[in-house]
Amino acid sequence: FFFFFFFLMIRRPPRSTLSSSSAASDVYKRQVNNNGRTAPVSENPYIRLLVKLYRFMARRVECQFNKVVLKRLFMSKMNRPPLSLSKLAKLMAGKDGQVAVMVGTVTDDVRMLDTPQGLKVCALRFTEGARNRILKNGGEILTFDQLAQQHPTGSNCLLVRGPRAAREANRHFGAPGTTHAAPYVRSKGRKFEKARGRRKSRGYKC
């Protein structure tokens, strides 16, 4: 009995499985990656209904387009930045007849004087100025449920998105002085963050 008890004490600890885990050999938990959303955090009923629709489309229609739209519907607003009408016009240049699909907001750009004729755009939301300019110039505005009916496979559609790294906060990501990250300073002047690392005459310049 003593030898049996001693054997139980020195035996190798059990490996972790998906159903049970072991503190000594936690293999599976280290390898499981649960990053990324599987549902939207937003309580917006329109987005929730679109997620239901595009879940079905992504499962039943053999194309990648619906899966990408579904993934973007899950994203936070920070990861769905708006796209200006001027940028949209550049992206759609030479793509007559195609539908621009933007999972986010399309905004107006007062710096653009001439709006292209016949723009066909599908987006979650349009600002009033952008909507009026598109419709006034013979364009067409679609909702995502209309897009699912007219282009279920995403054929003749161009997925576009806004600039995610255009936020002011992105300028400060990284270590100031060693990368091109801008430091947070009280003021801009001779005495504030102008020495080492900012000029070649003071050690080095990044």
Side-chain angles (χ1 to χ4, degrees):
F1 177 79
F2 173 76
F3 290 109
F4 178 70
F5 182 71
F6 181 72
F7 173 74
L8 287 176
M9 289 184 66
I10 65 169
R11 73 184 180 86
R12 185 181 176 184
R15 281 186 175 275
S16 295
T17 61
L18 290 173
S19 57
S20 62
S21 64
S22 163
S25 175
D26 211 349
V27 177
Y28 288 97
K29 282 190 178 178
R30 281 197 303 251
Q31 295 174 352
V32 172
N33 186 3
N34 289 324
N35 293 338
R37 290 184 176 183
T38 55
V41 175
S42 171
E43 294 295 330
N44 187 331
Y46 178 60
I47 289 181
R48 293 275 175 167
L49 286 170
L50 286 181
V51 165
K52 275 190 173 184
L53 171 63
Y54 275 91
R55 265 195 215 280
F56 174 80
M57 298 282 287
R59 191 174 68 248
R60 297 296 294 272
V61 181
E62 287 291 331
C63 71
Q64 196 65 23
F65 174 81
N66 294 312
K67 293 175 184 175
V68 175
V69 172
L70 178 65
K71 184 182 177 183
R72 292 187 186 182
L73 286 169
F74 293 160
M75 289 181 179
S76 63
K77 285 185 76 175
M78 194 177 291
N79 289 316
R80 287 190 284 110
L83 185 69
S84 68
L85 199 54
S86 58
K87 183 72 174 176
L88 182 64
K90 285 180 184 177
L91 292 171
M92 296 303 291
K95 296 180 175 64
D96 298 333
Q98 289 197 13
V99 184
V101 180
M102 167 68 182
V103 186
T105 304
V106 174
T107 59
D108 190 14
D109 192 348
V110 294
R111 299 167 299 179
M112 186 176 69
L113 301 177
D114 299 321
T115 308
Q117 295 286 328
L119 271 180
K120 199 170 182 181
V121 191
C122 171
L124 283 179
R125 181 175 166 269
F126 295 86
T127 61
E128 190 176 352
R131 181 187 297 273
N132 291 339
R133 289 183 75 172
I134 291 170
L135 295 175
K136 188 178 178 182
N137 286 275
E140 188 179 350
I141 283 174
L142 298 174
T143 58
F144 274 93
D145 47 329
Q146 290 172 333
L147 183 76
Q149 289 178 329
Q150 295 180 21
H151 304 273
T153 60
S155 61
N156 219 21
C157 293
L158 180 69
L159 273 166
V160 295
R161 60 183 2 179
R164 287 207 294 181
R167 294 167 52 224
E168 202 276 336
N170 283 58
R171 293 181 60 242
H172 303 282
F173 291 167
T178 57
T179 63
H180 286 280
Y184 286 107
V185 291
R186 280 187 296 133
S187 184
K188 189 170 183 178
R190 177 185 57 81
K191 299 190 291 184
F192 305 100
E193 298 282 352
K194 294 290 184 184
R196 185 170 178 273
R198 306 303 294 177
R199 290 182 289 175
K200 282 187 177 179
S201 63
R202 296 294 181 270
Y204 66 96
K205 183 181 186 304
C206 271

